[in-house]
């Protein structure tokens, strides 16, 4: 019986915790270790795509994601008691142990250890390190455009709660925006920052295309320093598409020929309408399609950039 089969359908057999692969069922904490104690937790979201040959499982930009985990921890003043190569090995060990037949999503996260009764988690509190993983289906090859809407909820700012930190708590902000968008019949919100400039979606960065130029909010627009954003800008530049990183006005969204979200989970997600206005022809345009194809090629190991891929052997 494979590890996955023995684990049942809802979770994999193993989870990585504080240096060990442990069976899912035994990875427990005291009920009193949540609440205020978990407000400081930071995490990463990484995808591993099964290569077209069916053999290799390719972690995409593992090193860069883990580097961002350490950056988040540094800003949040949490200590990760492992070095980066140790966590790289841990992620590969976990994927190997769970024997995923297809694609796998990996979530390394750290949170203060034990029962903390203070409302404010102290700086430097000892942390647990956990790596979870599960299967996912890529939607890169079957994409309808999303109906997006500008949110009345403002993106948290670097001066209040830095979006550069990938903290679970930041998703409380995105959640408000998402609930509002869904309540009005849309798929995803686009949040503006405290300067009323375009920031990002609750789980992805955003870019628009106008007159053949790709424009995305700068990294000082109150956004996460997205790895899919960086990948997209690199791949677009390689295709000869001009790219700009700068402040973006809300009204620019209404003039875009194309628009898309970029994120590990959302991949390259075309936007079909914004605030009820169709984006271009309302279907994915040529730049979006070119980028999606290039991204699909790279993550599946067909299109170079091997430095971004970590193969997990069976
Ligand atoms: N912004 C937010 C708020 C996110 O949650 C994510 C997903 N991690 C992104 C942007 C995209 O980042 P990445 O491409 O590194 O996944």
């Amino acid at each position: 019986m494979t590890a996955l089969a023995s684990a049942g359908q809802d979770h994999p057999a193993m989870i990585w915790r504080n240096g060990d692969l442990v069976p899912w069922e035994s990875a427990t904490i005291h009920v009193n270790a949540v609440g205020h104690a978990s407000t400081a937790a930071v995490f990463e979201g990484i995808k591993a795509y099964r290569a077209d040959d069916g053999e290799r499982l390719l972690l995409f930009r593992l090193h860069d994601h883990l580097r961002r985990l350490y950056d988040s921890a540094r800003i949040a003043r949490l200590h990760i008691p492992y070095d980066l190569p140790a966590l790289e090995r841990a992620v590969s060990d976990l994927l190997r142990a769970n024997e995923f037949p297809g694609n796998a999503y990996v979530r390394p996260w750290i949170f203060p250890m034990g029962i903390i009764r203070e409302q404010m988690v102290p700086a430097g509190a000892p942390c647990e390190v956990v790596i979870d993983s599960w299967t996912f289906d890529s939607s890169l090859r079957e994409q309808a455009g999303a109906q997006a809407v500008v949110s009345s909820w403002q993106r948290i700012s670097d001066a209040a709660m830095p979006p550069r930190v990938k903290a679970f708590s930041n998703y409380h902000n995105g959640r408000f925006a998402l609930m509002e968008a869904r309540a009005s019949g849309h798929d995803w919100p686009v949040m503006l920052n405290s300067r009323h400039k375009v920031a990002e979606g609750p789980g992805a960065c955003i870019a628009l295309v106008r007159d053949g130029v790709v424009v995305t909010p700068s990294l000082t627009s109150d956004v996460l320093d997205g790895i899919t954003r960086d990948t997209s800008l690199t791949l677009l530049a390689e295709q000869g598409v001009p790219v700009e990183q700068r402040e973006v006005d809300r009204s620019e969204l209404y003039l875009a020929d194309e628009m898309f979200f970029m994120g590990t989970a959302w991949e390259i997600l075309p936007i079909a309408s914004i605030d009820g206005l169709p984006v271009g022809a309302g279907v994915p345009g040529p730049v979006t399609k070119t980028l999606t194809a290039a991204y699909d090629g790279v993550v599946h190991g067909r299109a170079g950039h091997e430095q971004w891929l970590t193969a997990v052997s069976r």
Side-chain angles (χ1 to χ4, degrees), residues 43-46 65 68 105 155 163 166 170-171 191 200-206 223-230 262-266 295:
F43 74 105
E44 269 306 317
I46 308 166
H65 278 283
R68 191 171 65 185
Y105 186 90
R155 186 64 178 142
K166 197 165 168 62
N170 292 0
Y171 290 77
M191 287 179 283
E200 60 184 345
C205 296
I206 190 170
V223 298
L224 185 71
D225 186 347
I227 288 166
T228 318
R229 175 188 180 280
D230 180 75
M262 304 164 282
T264 298
W266 302 17
Y295 191 80

PDB file of all heavy atoms in Angstrom, residues 43-46 65 68 105 155 163 166 170-171 191 200-206 223-230 262-266 295, ligand 1:
ATOM      1  N   PHE A  43       4.183  31.821   6.593  1.00  0.00           N
ATOM      2  CA  PHE A  43       4.169  30.594   5.801  1.00  0.00           C
ATOM      3  C   PHE A  43       4.612  30.819   4.376  1.00  0.00           C
ATOM      4  O   PHE A  43       4.854  31.952   3.947  1.00  0.00           O
ATOM      5  CB  PHE A  43       2.764  29.967   5.835  1.00  0.00           C
ATOM      6  CG  PHE A  43       1.723  30.671   5.001  1.00  0.00           C
ATOM      7  CD1 PHE A  43       1.297  30.127   3.789  1.00  0.00           C
ATOM      8  CD2 PHE A  43       1.153  31.871   5.406  1.00  0.00           C
ATOM      9  CE1 PHE A  43       0.322  30.757   3.014  1.00  0.00           C
ATOM     10  CE2 PHE A  43       0.179  32.523   4.631  1.00  0.00           C
ATOM     11  CZ  PHE A  43      -0.235  31.959   3.441  1.00  0.00           C
ATOM     12  N   GLU A  44       4.693  29.739   3.623  1.00  0.00           N
ATOM     13  CA  GLU A  44       4.947  29.781   2.185  1.00  0.00           C
ATOM     14  C   GLU A  44       3.992  28.835   1.477  1.00  0.00           C
ATOM     15  O   GLU A  44       3.465  27.902   2.097  1.00  0.00           O
ATOM     16  CB  GLU A  44       6.394  29.362   1.857  1.00  0.00           C
ATOM     17  CG  GLU A  44       7.364  30.525   1.811  1.00  0.00           C
ATOM     18  CD  GLU A  44       6.902  31.628   0.859  1.00  0.00           C
ATOM     19  OE1 GLU A  44       6.442  31.317  -0.251  1.00  0.00           O
ATOM     20  OE2 GLU A  44       6.998  32.811   1.227  1.00  0.00           O
ATOM     21  N   GLY A  45       3.790  29.078   0.210  1.00  0.00           N
ATOM     22  CA  GLY A  45       2.998  28.170  -0.619  1.00  0.00           C
ATOM     23  C   GLY A  45       3.802  27.861  -1.876  1.00  0.00           C
ATOM     24  O   GLY A  45       4.166  28.775  -2.613  1.00  0.00           O
ATOM     25  N   ILE A  46       4.104  26.590  -2.073  1.00  0.00           N
ATOM     26  CA  ILE A  46       5.015  26.177  -3.148  1.00  0.00           C
ATOM     27  C   ILE A  46       4.320  25.083  -3.954  1.00  0.00           C
ATOM     28  O   ILE A  46       3.615  24.245  -3.385  1.00  0.00           O
ATOM     29  CB  ILE A  46       6.325  25.608  -2.534  1.00  0.00           C
ATOM     30  CG1 ILE A  46       6.922  26.600  -1.527  1.00  0.00           C
ATOM     31  CG2 ILE A  46       7.339  25.252  -3.622  1.00  0.00           C
ATOM     32  CD1 ILE A  46       8.008  26.000  -0.639  1.00  0.00           C
ATOM     33  N   HIS A  65      11.184  30.516  -2.567  1.00  0.00           N
ATOM     34  CA  HIS A  65      10.078  30.519  -1.601  1.00  0.00           C
ATOM     35  C   HIS A  65      10.608  30.423  -0.169  1.00  0.00           C
ATOM     36  O   HIS A  65      10.128  31.114   0.732  1.00  0.00           O
ATOM     37  CB  HIS A  65       9.129  29.352  -1.877  1.00  0.00           C
ATOM     38  CG  HIS A  65       8.135  29.631  -2.957  1.00  0.00           C
ATOM     39  ND1 HIS A  65       7.020  30.422  -2.754  1.00  0.00           N
ATOM     40  CD2 HIS A  65       8.078  29.232  -4.250  1.00  0.00           C
ATOM     41  CE1 HIS A  65       6.325  30.492  -3.881  1.00  0.00           C
ATOM     42  NE2 HIS A  65       6.939  29.784  -4.802  1.00  0.00           N
ATOM     43  N   ARG A  68      12.041  33.600   1.010  1.00  0.00           N
ATOM     44  CA  ARG A  68      10.986  34.539   1.429  1.00  0.00           C
ATOM     45  C   ARG A  68      10.428  34.150   2.791  1.00  0.00           C
ATOM     46  O   ARG A  68      10.031  35.026   3.572  1.00  0.00           O
ATOM     47  CB  ARG A  68       9.875  34.591   0.366  1.00  0.00           C
ATOM     48  CG  ARG A  68       8.890  35.731   0.597  1.00  0.00           C
ATOM     49  CD  ARG A  68       7.926  35.902  -0.563  1.00  0.00           C
ATOM     50  NE  ARG A  68       7.053  34.746  -0.716  1.00  0.00           N
ATOM     51  CZ  ARG A  68       6.186  34.582  -1.704  1.00  0.00           C
ATOM     52  NH1 ARG A  68       6.067  35.520  -2.639  1.00  0.00           N
ATOM     53  NH2 ARG A  68       5.431  33.515  -1.781  1.00  0.00           N
ATOM     54  N   TYR A 105       1.120  20.482  -3.665  1.00  0.00           N
ATOM     55  CA  TYR A 105       1.253  21.831  -3.092  1.00  0.00           C
ATOM     56  C   TYR A 105       1.910  21.660  -1.727  1.00  0.00           C
ATOM     57  O   TYR A 105       1.580  20.733  -0.991  1.00  0.00           O
ATOM     58  CB  TYR A 105      -0.142  22.453  -2.949  1.00  0.00           C
ATOM     59  CG  TYR A 105      -0.151  23.893  -2.493  1.00  0.00           C
ATOM     60  CD1 TYR A 105      -0.114  24.938  -3.427  1.00  0.00           C
ATOM     61  CD2 TYR A 105      -0.202  24.226  -1.150  1.00  0.00           C
ATOM     62  CE1 TYR A 105      -0.121  26.253  -3.026  1.00  0.00           C
ATOM     63  CE2 TYR A 105      -0.212  25.551  -0.736  1.00  0.00           C
ATOM     64  CZ  TYR A 105      -0.168  26.557  -1.683  1.00  0.00           C
ATOM     65  OH  TYR A 105      -0.176  27.863  -1.282  1.00  0.00           O
ATOM     66  N   ARG A 155      -6.167  47.507   0.963  1.00  0.00           N
ATOM     67  CA  ARG A 155      -5.060  46.586   1.253  1.00  0.00           C
ATOM     68  C   ARG A 155      -4.293  47.109   2.464  1.00  0.00           C
ATOM     69  O   ARG A 155      -4.059  48.319   2.584  1.00  0.00           O
ATOM     70  CB  ARG A 155      -4.119  46.493   0.040  1.00  0.00           C
ATOM     71  CG  ARG A 155      -3.005  45.447   0.194  1.00  0.00           C
ATOM     72  CD  ARG A 155      -3.578  44.064   0.288  1.00  0.00           C
ATOM     73  NE  ARG A 155      -2.589  43.000   0.400  1.00  0.00           N
ATOM     74  CZ  ARG A 155      -2.771  41.927   1.185  1.00  0.00           C
ATOM     75  NH1 ARG A 155      -3.863  41.792   1.924  1.00  0.00           N
ATOM     76  NH2 ARG A 155      -1.875  40.979   1.208  1.00  0.00           N
ATOM     77  N   PRO A 163       2.394  43.768   3.831  1.00  0.00           N
ATOM     78  CA  PRO A 163       2.016  42.660   2.939  1.00  0.00           C
ATOM     79  C   PRO A 163       3.228  41.875   2.453  1.00  0.00           C
ATOM     80  O   PRO A 163       3.093  40.753   1.984  1.00  0.00           O
ATOM     81  CB  PRO A 163       1.335  43.364   1.756  1.00  0.00           C
ATOM     82  CG  PRO A 163       0.996  44.720   2.233  1.00  0.00           C
ATOM     83  CD  PRO A 163       2.013  45.079   3.267  1.00  0.00           C
ATOM     84  N   LYS A 166       4.615  37.248   4.572  1.00  0.00           N
ATOM     85  CA  LYS A 166       3.543  36.304   4.233  1.00  0.00           C
ATOM     86  C   LYS A 166       3.024  35.689   5.524  1.00  0.00           C
ATOM     87  O   LYS A 166       3.362  34.555   5.893  1.00  0.00           O
ATOM     88  CB  LYS A 166       4.058  35.236   3.254  1.00  0.00           C
ATOM     89  CG  LYS A 166       2.935  34.493   2.555  1.00  0.00           C
ATOM     90  CD  LYS A 166       3.465  33.741   1.355  1.00  0.00           C
ATOM     91  CE  LYS A 166       2.440  32.765   0.810  1.00  0.00           C
ATOM     92  NZ  LYS A 166       1.213  33.378   0.330  1.00  0.00           N
ATOM     93  N   ASN A 170      -2.380  38.334   7.610  1.00  0.00           N
ATOM     94  CA  ASN A 170      -2.673  39.231   6.480  1.00  0.00           C
ATOM     95  C   ASN A 170      -3.904  38.773   5.698  1.00  0.00           C
ATOM     96  O   ASN A 170      -4.566  39.583   5.046  1.00  0.00           O
ATOM     97  CB  ASN A 170      -1.485  39.287   5.519  1.00  0.00           C
ATOM     98  CG  ASN A 170      -0.291  39.979   6.120  1.00  0.00           C
ATOM     99  OD1 ASN A 170      -0.337  40.419   7.267  1.00  0.00           O
ATOM    100  ND2 ASN A 170       0.786  40.069   5.364  1.00  0.00           N
ATOM    101  N   TYR A 171      -4.185  37.487   5.776  1.00  0.00           N
ATOM    102  CA  TYR A 171      -5.295  36.944   4.990  1.00  0.00           C
ATOM    103  C   TYR A 171      -6.652  37.303   5.595  1.00  0.00           C
ATOM    104  O   TYR A 171      -7.687  37.103   4.968  1.00  0.00           O
ATOM    105  CB  TYR A 171      -5.096  35.432   4.781  1.00  0.00           C
ATOM    106  CG  TYR A 171      -3.927  35.229   3.837  1.00  0.00           C
ATOM    107  CD1 TYR A 171      -2.621  35.379   4.293  1.00  0.00           C
ATOM    108  CD2 TYR A 171      -4.124  35.024   2.482  1.00  0.00           C
ATOM    109  CE1 TYR A 171      -1.539  35.288   3.427  1.00  0.00           C
ATOM    110  CE2 TYR A 171      -3.053  34.930   1.612  1.00  0.00           C
ATOM    111  CZ  TYR A 171      -1.768  35.066   2.092  1.00  0.00           C
ATOM    112  OH  TYR A 171      -0.710  34.991   1.225  1.00  0.00           O
ATOM    113  N   MET A 191      -7.603  44.756  -4.650  1.00  0.00           N
ATOM    114  CA  MET A 191      -7.542  45.732  -3.557  1.00  0.00           C
ATOM    115  C   MET A 191      -6.655  46.918  -3.918  1.00  0.00           C
ATOM    116  O   MET A 191      -5.595  46.757  -4.543  1.00  0.00           O
ATOM    117  CB  MET A 191      -7.033  45.062  -2.283  1.00  0.00           C
ATOM    118  CG  MET A 191      -8.084  44.132  -1.668  1.00  0.00           C
ATOM    119  SD  MET A 191      -7.470  43.328  -0.178  1.00  0.00           S
ATOM    120  CE  MET A 191      -6.445  42.083  -0.913  1.00  0.00           C
ATOM    121  N   GLU A 200      -3.115  44.466  -5.081  1.00  0.00           N
ATOM    122  CA  GLU A 200      -3.106  43.053  -5.494  1.00  0.00           C
ATOM    123  C   GLU A 200      -4.431  42.398  -5.149  1.00  0.00           C
ATOM    124  O   GLU A 200      -5.292  42.998  -4.512  1.00  0.00           O
ATOM    125  CB  GLU A 200      -1.958  42.315  -4.797  1.00  0.00           C
ATOM    126  CG  GLU A 200      -2.044  42.341  -3.272  1.00  0.00           C
ATOM    127  CD  GLU A 200      -0.856  41.689  -2.573  1.00  0.00           C
ATOM    128  OE1 GLU A 200      -0.089  40.963  -3.230  1.00  0.00           O
ATOM    129  OE2 GLU A 200      -0.719  41.901  -1.356  1.00  0.00           O
ATOM    130  N   GLY A 201      -4.577  41.155  -5.556  1.00  0.00           N
ATOM    131  CA  GLY A 201      -5.711  40.348  -5.129  1.00  0.00           C
ATOM    132  C   GLY A 201      -5.384  39.726  -3.781  1.00  0.00           C
ATOM    133  O   GLY A 201      -4.257  39.850  -3.288  1.00  0.00           O
ATOM    134  N   PRO A 202      -6.344  39.034  -3.159  1.00  0.00           N
ATOM    135  CA  PRO A 202      -6.090  38.461  -1.834  1.00  0.00           C
ATOM    136  C   PRO A 202      -5.100  37.301  -1.848  1.00  0.00           C
ATOM    137  O   PRO A 202      -4.564  36.951  -0.800  1.00  0.00           O
ATOM    138  CB  PRO A 202      -7.471  37.991  -1.376  1.00  0.00           C
ATOM    139  CG  PRO A 202      -8.259  37.810  -2.625  1.00  0.00           C
ATOM    140  CD  PRO A 202      -7.721  38.804  -3.612  1.00  0.00           C
ATOM    141  N   GLY A 203      -4.834  36.723  -3.031  1.00  0.00           N
ATOM    142  CA  GLY A 203      -3.895  35.608  -3.095  1.00  0.00           C
ATOM    143  C   GLY A 203      -3.026  35.643  -4.335  1.00  0.00           C
ATOM    144  O   GLY A 203      -2.457  34.621  -4.722  1.00  0.00           O
ATOM    145  N   ALA A 204      -2.910  36.813  -4.953  1.00  0.00           N
ATOM    146  CA  ALA A 204      -2.112  36.894  -6.180  1.00  0.00           C
ATOM    147  C   ALA A 204      -1.807  38.344  -6.516  1.00  0.00           C
ATOM    148  O   ALA A 204      -2.557  39.252  -6.149  1.00  0.00           O
ATOM    149  CB  ALA A 204      -2.860  36.258  -7.347  1.00  0.00           C
ATOM    150  N   CYS A 205      -0.718  38.556  -7.224  1.00  0.00           N
ATOM    151  CA  CYS A 205      -0.393  39.872  -7.774  1.00  0.00           C
ATOM    152  C   CYS A 205      -1.199  40.061  -9.059  1.00  0.00           C
ATOM    153  O   CYS A 205      -1.797  39.125  -9.578  1.00  0.00           O
ATOM    154  CB  CYS A 205       1.102  39.972  -8.059  1.00  0.00           C
ATOM    155  SG  CYS A 205       2.106  39.861  -6.556  1.00  0.00           S
ATOM    156  N   ILE A 206      -1.197  41.286  -9.565  1.00  0.00           N
ATOM    157  CA  ILE A 206      -1.998  41.591 -10.747  1.00  0.00           C
ATOM    158  C   ILE A 206      -1.151  42.348 -11.761  1.00  0.00           C
ATOM    159  O   ILE A 206      -0.214  43.068 -11.382  1.00  0.00           O
ATOM    160  CB  ILE A 206      -3.260  42.407 -10.357  1.00  0.00           C
ATOM    161  CG1 ILE A 206      -4.231  42.538 -11.530  1.00  0.00           C
ATOM    162  CG2 ILE A 206      -2.883  43.769  -9.773  1.00  0.00           C
ATOM    163  CD1 ILE A 206      -5.596  43.126 -11.149  1.00  0.00           C
ATOM    164  N   VAL A 223       2.244  45.195  -1.741  1.00  0.00           N
ATOM    165  CA  VAL A 223       1.990  43.872  -2.313  1.00  0.00           C
ATOM    166  C   VAL A 223       2.991  42.876  -1.733  1.00  0.00           C
ATOM    167  O   VAL A 223       4.038  43.268  -1.207  1.00  0.00           O
ATOM    168  CB  VAL A 223       2.147  43.875  -3.858  1.00  0.00           C
ATOM    169  CG1 VAL A 223       1.143  44.817  -4.495  1.00  0.00           C
ATOM    170  CG2 VAL A 223       3.570  44.243  -4.289  1.00  0.00           C
ATOM    171  N   LEU A 224       2.654  41.609  -1.875  1.00  0.00           N
ATOM    172  CA  LEU A 224       3.648  40.570  -1.603  1.00  0.00           C
ATOM    173  C   LEU A 224       4.648  40.570  -2.760  1.00  0.00           C
ATOM    174  O   LEU A 224       4.264  40.802  -3.907  1.00  0.00           O
ATOM    175  CB  LEU A 224       2.959  39.204  -1.491  1.00  0.00           C
ATOM    176  CG  LEU A 224       3.862  38.033  -1.089  1.00  0.00           C
ATOM    177  CD1 LEU A 224       4.273  38.147   0.381  1.00  0.00           C
ATOM    178  CD2 LEU A 224       3.149  36.696  -1.316  1.00  0.00           C
ATOM    179  N   ASP A 225       5.904  40.330  -2.444  1.00  0.00           N
ATOM    180  CA  ASP A 225       6.940  40.228  -3.482  1.00  0.00           C
ATOM    181  C   ASP A 225       6.759  38.862  -4.156  1.00  0.00           C
ATOM    182  O   ASP A 225       7.435  37.885  -3.830  1.00  0.00           O
ATOM    183  CB  ASP A 225       8.319  40.361  -2.804  1.00  0.00           C
ATOM    184  CG  ASP A 225       9.454  40.419  -3.812  1.00  0.00           C
ATOM    185  OD1 ASP A 225       9.211  40.118  -4.986  1.00  0.00           O
ATOM    186  OD2 ASP A 225      10.577  40.754  -3.396  1.00  0.00           O
ATOM    187  N   GLY A 226       5.813  38.806  -5.072  1.00  0.00           N
ATOM    188  CA  GLY A 226       5.341  37.533  -5.606  1.00  0.00           C
ATOM    189  C   GLY A 226       6.381  36.834  -6.476  1.00  0.00           C
ATOM    190  O   GLY A 226       7.026  37.462  -7.330  1.00  0.00           O
ATOM    191  N   ILE A 227       6.496  35.551  -6.293  1.00  0.00           N
ATOM    192  CA  ILE A 227       7.458  34.772  -7.076  1.00  0.00           C
ATOM    193  C   ILE A 227       6.894  34.500  -8.479  1.00  0.00           C
ATOM    194  O   ILE A 227       7.637  34.491  -9.457  1.00  0.00           O
ATOM    195  CB  ILE A 227       7.848  33.502  -6.293  1.00  0.00           C
ATOM    196  CG1 ILE A 227       8.732  33.965  -5.119  1.00  0.00           C
ATOM    197  CG2 ILE A 227       8.555  32.473  -7.168  1.00  0.00           C
ATOM    198  CD1 ILE A 227       8.966  32.970  -4.041  1.00  0.00           C
ATOM    199  N   THR A 228       5.578  34.348  -8.583  1.00  0.00           N
ATOM    200  CA  THR A 228       4.974  34.187  -9.908  1.00  0.00           C
ATOM    201  C   THR A 228       5.053  35.513 -10.678  1.00  0.00           C
ATOM    202  O   THR A 228       5.226  35.521 -11.906  1.00  0.00           O
ATOM    203  CB  THR A 228       3.510  33.733  -9.787  1.00  0.00           C
ATOM    204  OG1 THR A 228       3.421  32.740  -8.772  1.00  0.00           O
ATOM    205  CG2 THR A 228       2.997  33.170 -11.097  1.00  0.00           C
ATOM    206  N   ARG A 229       4.938  36.613  -9.957  1.00  0.00           N
ATOM    207  CA  ARG A 229       5.114  37.947 -10.562  1.00  0.00           C
ATOM    208  C   ARG A 229       6.514  38.066 -11.143  1.00  0.00           C
ATOM    209  O   ARG A 229       6.698  38.440 -12.307  1.00  0.00           O
ATOM    210  CB  ARG A 229       4.870  39.005  -9.475  1.00  0.00           C
ATOM    211  CG  ARG A 229       5.123  40.456  -9.874  1.00  0.00           C
ATOM    212  CD  ARG A 229       5.028  41.328  -8.607  1.00  0.00           C
ATOM    213  NE  ARG A 229       5.249  42.727  -8.861  1.00  0.00           N
ATOM    214  CZ  ARG A 229       6.461  43.281  -9.011  1.00  0.00           C
ATOM    215  NH1 ARG A 229       7.547  42.516  -8.966  1.00  0.00           N
ATOM    216  NH2 ARG A 229       6.580  44.578  -9.225  1.00  0.00           N
ATOM    217  N   ASP A 230       7.508  37.699 -10.352  1.00  0.00           N
ATOM    218  CA  ASP A 230       8.894  37.760 -10.815  1.00  0.00           C
ATOM    219  C   ASP A 230       9.113  36.815 -11.999  1.00  0.00           C
ATOM    220  O   ASP A 230       9.750  37.179 -12.995  1.00  0.00           O
ATOM    221  CB  ASP A 230       9.836  37.392  -9.655  1.00  0.00           C
ATOM    222  CG  ASP A 230      11.284  37.428 -10.074  1.00  0.00           C
ATOM    223  OD1 ASP A 230      11.821  38.537 -10.228  1.00  0.00           O
ATOM    224  OD2 ASP A 230      11.880  36.352 -10.293  1.00  0.00           O
ATOM    225  N   MET A 262      -1.382  36.756 -10.938  1.00  0.00           N
ATOM    226  CA  MET A 262      -0.189  35.896 -10.946  1.00  0.00           C
ATOM    227  C   MET A 262       0.066  35.415  -9.520  1.00  0.00           C
ATOM    228  O   MET A 262       0.298  36.235  -8.627  1.00  0.00           O
ATOM    229  CB  MET A 262       1.052  36.692 -11.380  1.00  0.00           C
ATOM    230  CG  MET A 262       0.944  37.379 -12.719  1.00  0.00           C
ATOM    231  SD  MET A 262       2.256  38.637 -12.919  1.00  0.00           S
ATOM    232  CE  MET A 262       1.614  39.996 -11.933  1.00  0.00           C
ATOM    233  N   GLY A 263       0.013  34.107  -9.317  1.00  0.00           N
ATOM    234  CA  GLY A 263       0.294  33.580  -7.983  1.00  0.00           C
ATOM    235  C   GLY A 263       0.566  32.089  -8.052  1.00  0.00           C
ATOM    236  O   GLY A 263       0.122  31.419  -8.999  1.00  0.00           O
ATOM    237  N   THR A 264       1.248  31.582  -7.065  1.00  0.00           N
ATOM    238  CA  THR A 264       1.570  30.144  -7.058  1.00  0.00           C
ATOM    239  C   THR A 264       0.301  29.311  -7.156  1.00  0.00           C
ATOM    240  O   THR A 264       0.201  28.391  -7.964  1.00  0.00           O
ATOM    241  CB  THR A 264       2.347  29.793  -5.782  1.00  0.00           C
ATOM    242  OG1 THR A 264       3.566  30.528  -5.794  1.00  0.00           O
ATOM    243  CG2 THR A 264       2.647  28.309  -5.693  1.00  0.00           C
ATOM    244  N   ALA A 265      -0.691  29.640  -6.322  1.00  0.00           N
ATOM    245  CA  ALA A 265      -1.926  28.856  -6.322  1.00  0.00           C
ATOM    246  C   ALA A 265      -2.784  29.197  -7.540  1.00  0.00           C
ATOM    247  O   ALA A 265      -3.319  28.306  -8.198  1.00  0.00           O
ATOM    248  CB  ALA A 265      -2.708  29.101  -5.039  1.00  0.00           C
ATOM    249  N   TRP A 266      -2.917  30.485  -7.854  1.00  0.00           N
ATOM    250  CA  TRP A 266      -3.810  30.907  -8.939  1.00  0.00           C
ATOM    251  C   TRP A 266      -3.159  30.742 -10.306  1.00  0.00           C
ATOM    252  O   TRP A 266      -3.823  30.860 -11.327  1.00  0.00           O
ATOM    253  CB  TRP A 266      -4.208  32.376  -8.754  1.00  0.00           C
ATOM    254  CG  TRP A 266      -4.883  32.721  -7.465  1.00  0.00           C
ATOM    255  CD1 TRP A 266      -4.902  31.980  -6.308  1.00  0.00           C
ATOM    256  CD2 TRP A 266      -5.643  33.908  -7.186  1.00  0.00           C
ATOM    257  NE1 TRP A 266      -5.618  32.648  -5.337  1.00  0.00           N
ATOM    258  CE2 TRP A 266      -6.085  33.828  -5.840  1.00  0.00           C
ATOM    259  CE3 TRP A 266      -5.981  35.024  -7.935  1.00  0.00           C
ATOM    260  CZ2 TRP A 266      -6.845  34.824  -5.244  1.00  0.00           C
ATOM    261  CZ3 TRP A 266      -6.734  36.022  -7.340  1.00  0.00           C
ATOM    262  CH2 TRP A 266      -7.169  35.916  -6.004  1.00  0.00           C
ATOM    263  N   TYR A 295       4.803  29.762 -18.945  1.00  0.00           N
ATOM    264  CA  TYR A 295       4.794  29.327 -17.532  1.00  0.00           C
ATOM    265  C   TYR A 295       4.558  27.814 -17.457  1.00  0.00           C
ATOM    266  O   TYR A 295       5.256  27.099 -16.738  1.00  0.00           O
ATOM    267  CB  TYR A 295       3.706  30.102 -16.791  1.00  0.00           C
ATOM    268  CG  TYR A 295       3.751  29.956 -15.287  1.00  0.00           C
ATOM    269  CD1 TYR A 295       4.660  30.694 -14.529  1.00  0.00           C
ATOM    270  CD2 TYR A 295       2.879  29.099 -14.620  1.00  0.00           C
ATOM    271  CE1 TYR A 295       4.709  30.576 -13.146  1.00  0.00           C
ATOM    272  CE2 TYR A 295       2.914  28.972 -13.237  1.00  0.00           C
ATOM    273  CZ  TYR A 295       3.826  29.714 -12.506  1.00  0.00           C
ATOM    274  OH  TYR A 295       3.876  29.591 -11.140  1.00  0.00           O
TER     275      TYR A 295
HETATM  276  N1  LIG B   1      -0.176  38.291  -3.057  1.00  0.00           N
HETATM  277  C1  LIG B   1      -0.758  37.593  -2.074  1.00  0.00           C
HETATM  278  C2  LIG B   1      -1.540  38.301  -1.052  1.00  0.00           C
HETATM  279  C3  LIG B   1      -0.604  36.196  -2.022  1.00  0.00           C
HETATM  280  O1  LIG B   1      -1.184  35.483  -1.035  1.00  0.00           O
HETATM  281  C4  LIG B   1       0.135  35.543  -3.022  1.00  0.00           C
HETATM  282  C5  LIG B   1       0.279  34.046  -2.986  1.00  0.00           C
HETATM  283  N2  LIG B   1       1.403  33.646  -2.233  1.00  0.00           N
HETATM  284  C6  LIG B   1       0.715  36.315  -4.031  1.00  0.00           C
HETATM  285  C7  LIG B   1       0.544  37.689  -4.010  1.00  0.00           C
HETATM  286  C8  LIG B   1       1.534  35.691  -5.102  1.00  0.00           C
HETATM  287  O2  LIG B   1       2.766  35.259  -4.604  1.00  0.00           O
HETATM  288  P1  LIG B   1       3.514  34.012  -5.221  1.00  0.00           P
HETATM  289  O3  LIG B   1       3.534  34.219  -6.695  1.00  0.00           O
HETATM  290  O4  LIG B   1       4.872  34.077  -4.636  1.00  0.00           O
HETATM  291  O5  LIG B   1       2.751  32.803  -4.853  1.00  0.00           O
END
